[in-house]
Amino acid sequence: MTDKDGHQITSHDLQGKIIRRLQAYWLEFTTGWLWWGVGNLPWHSVRRFFYRLAGIKFGRHATIHMKARIFDPRFITIGDDTIIGERVTLDGRRQLPGSTSFLRIGNHVDIASEVMIWTSEHDLDSSTWAAREEPVIIEDYVFIGPRAIIMPGVTIGRGAVVAAGAIVTKDVPARAIVAGIPAKKIGERQGTLNYRLGRYRLWQ
């Protein structure tokens, strides 16, 4: 018996592949249900209930606006008073040994609409087009502008700002302001970081 690449596989290998395929189907169903089902509900409290049921860990007064696309919610943690805009992509795929989350978003983080945060991408040098998976950490008081993209393995430091449309491929230092493709530092944030974001938008 051979796999799709023509390599010989044992019955034990086959059993493992079947289990992984079934797990993949379940995660794909969960992603779809959270996107077109839960994500279109216009009530924050109801969405949070189902997101928690799916495995997302929410801090106090944290919320996600409508139409989010969420991959593997079991490994996503969102801190207190964090507001995430509509049509975002949150990728929690894969868990590091000993870790409780693969995508960790801190407290008082403001993420604008249509931001994409990825923890998984293809390894361009892989002969089998394998995935490369690395955690993303977004620390407290970060602001991420609309349509920015955060790539796997990135840590965004406390109080940093990511400009709209930026693609972040490397770590961002605390309080740095970054912009562009790929994102580069263009300034530094001043002032005391000690605020609350306030209320989220109703019916959105």
Side-chain angles (χ1 to χ4, degrees):
M1 188 177 297
T2 59
D3 63 12
K4 65 181 177 65
D5 297 314
H7 301 128
Q8 292 289 329
I9 58 174
T10 66
S11 58
H12 183 266
D13 293 334
L14 179 61
Q15 183 181 10
K17 290 176 73 69
I18 291 171
I19 291 171
R20 288 191 295 274
R21 179 61 59 88
L22 292 174
Q23 290 172 335
Y25 286 150
W26 175 251
L27 285 177
E28 289 167 10
F29 170 77
T30 302
T31 298
W33 172 65
L34 292 178
W35 177 43
W36 46 256
V38 175
N40 283 301
L41 297 172
W43 306 284
H44 288 269
S45 58
V46 177
R47 287 199 304 274
R48 274 196 302 266
F49 171 80
F50 285 112
Y51 288 146
R52 283 192 174 105
L53 193 65
I56 296 178
K57 300 163 190 69
F58 276 97
R60 297 177 67 246
H61 308 299
T63 198
I64 301 173
H65 284 84
M66 292 176 65
K67 300 182 181 180
R69 178 163 284 190
I70 298 169
F71 296 90
D72 209 340
R74 300 172 298 168
F75 305 125
I76 298 174
T77 299
I78 300 170
D80 297 341
D81 184 45
T82 285
I83 297 178
I84 299 175
E86 62 189 9
R87 298 181 186 274
V88 299
T89 299
L90 302 177
D91 186 1
R93 286 176 289 185
R94 187 76 181 272
Q95 184 187 30
L96 286 175
S99 174
T100 57
S101 63
F102 211 68
L103 170 56
R104 192 174 80 233
I105 301 172
N107 303 321
H108 316 293
V109 173
D110 189 357
I111 298 177
S113 298
E114 299 186 14
V115 168
M116 291 190 281
I117 303 172
W118 298 105
T119 62
S120 180
E121 63 179 346
H122 287 290
D123 181 354
L124 301 181
D125 296 321
S126 169
S127 60
T128 61
W129 199 232
R132 182 179 72 86
E133 297 165 321
E134 296 184 84
V136 170
I137 298 171
I138 299 172
E139 296 182 352
D140 300 345
Y141 293 105
V142 167
F143 171 67
I144 302 177
R147 295 191 175 181
I149 300 174
I150 314 301
M151 299 301 291
V154 166
T155 294
I156 301 179
R158 187 177 190 271
V161 174
V162 177
I167 299 181
V168 182
T169 60
K170 297 180 180 179
D171 291 352
V172 177
R175 289 181 174 267
I177 301 172
V178 300
I181 304 173
K184 296 180 180 179
K185 184 175 178 179
I186 61 170
E188 190 161 314
R189 195 173 180 185
Q190 306 298 319
T192 302
L193 301 176
N194 184 25
Y195 56 79
R196 295 188 62 82
L197 293 178
R199 70 177 185 87
Y200 44 78
R201 299 186 302 276
L202 298 176
W203 314 108
Q204 292 184 49

